[in-house]
Amino acid sequence: MRNAAGNQVAYRYVVYQDNGTSVKYRGNYTKTYEAFDGYKESVIGATWTKAGTPGKTIMTYTSRGELVSAVATGGTTFDRKFASNAEGQLIARREKSGKTQSFLYYDGANLANFGNVSTPEISDTYTPISKDYPAQTPGNYVVNQGDTLEGIASTVWGDAKMWYLIADANGLDPAVALTAGSSLKIPNVVTSNHND
């Protein structure tokens, strides 16, 4: 079943015996939602006809819709607390047992997570330096009306503070406006040094 917003609010399932015809058990899931920028699950209920305790998970959120806690009772129990940064990204998870997991980001992308809740992981979204990266020949960029060195650096590398590398590679005075239609050499660099 779905609600008027299209969110799944309930479903049923059947698990059959090995013979494929006799019912082993039946189950039901129900969900309620809270509205933020989108909908987020607030309560999940699980019941079934087999032995065991029905389960219920309750999630609480900040006024911005960031997950603060998740508590499950019944079958599989847990009690987790969460913290987010100003961009709404998960930065910490704490279990009731005291175990924690921390999450690191760089330029908005998940870089790594570590702690004693799960195995530490380093993201593979970054390209390692090798004989093929960065490329041997520099790239080019054709200046558009209103472009700035900062804007081009942000477009090319995702970091406006690297503008000075483009200025140096092209012998440009950063105080002089760029000329639309001119071609700039984009140097092949791997650095995080800023000219602040």
Side-chain angles (χ1 to χ4, degrees):
M1 289 181 36
R2 296 191 178 273
N3 63 15
N7 297 314
Q8 186 174 39
V9 294
Y11 66 91
R12 297 181 294 216
Y13 63 93
V14 176
V15 176
Y16 291 93
Q17 299 284 356
D18 291 339
N19 65 18
T21 56
S22 302
V23 174
K24 190 172 185 179
Y25 64 91
R26 299 173 192 276
N28 294 297
Y29 276 92
T30 58
K31 297 179 183 182
T32 57
Y33 296 86
E34 287 187 50
F36 298 98
D37 286 346
Y39 291 93
K40 297 192 177 190
E41 297 172 344
S42 58
V43 179
I44 302 171
T47 59
W48 49 82
T49 58
K50 67 179 183 174
T53 306
K56 185 176 191 178
T57 303
I58 300 172
M59 277 80 66
T60 55
Y61 301 91
T62 67
S63 60
R64 292 181 357 170
E66 296 152 349
L67 185 62
V68 174
S69 69
V71 178
T73 58
T76 303
T77 63
F78 58 80
D79 186 345
R80 298 178 179 139
K81 306 293 184 227
F82 302 93
S84 301
N85 63 18
E87 289 77 37
Q89 297 168 311
L90 175 67
I91 57 171
R93 167 183 161 189
R94 180 182 170 92
E95 300 288 327
K96 188 174 184 176
S97 66
K99 291 183 176 184
T100 61
Q101 197 77 8
S102 297
F103 301 84
L104 301 176
Y105 301 88
Y106 178 75
D107 280 343
N110 185 347
L111 179 61
N113 73 74
F114 60 93
N116 53 11
V117 173
S118 63
T119 305
E121 296 176 319
I122 296 177
S123 174
D124 62 356
T125 59
Y126 294 95
T127 305
I129 298 171
S130 68
K131 64 182 180 78
D132 299 320
Y133 178 79
Q136 296 295 322
T137 57
N140 288 310
Y141 180 91
V142 177
V143 177
N144 295 303
Q145 186 67 35
D147 274 349
T148 62
L149 290 170
E150 292 88 352
I152 295 169
S154 181
T155 299
V156 173
W157 296 309
D159 190 344
K161 293 180 180 179
M162 306 288 267
W163 65 267
Y164 71 95
L165 295 170
I166 299 170
D168 289 349
N170 293 278
L172 298 174
D173 179 348
V176 177
L178 299 174
T179 304
S182 61
S183 182
L184 298 179
K185 184 178 1 173
I186 304 299
N188 299 337
V189 294
V190 179
T191 184
S192 61
N193 294 330
H194 294 147
N195 188 14
D196 297 9

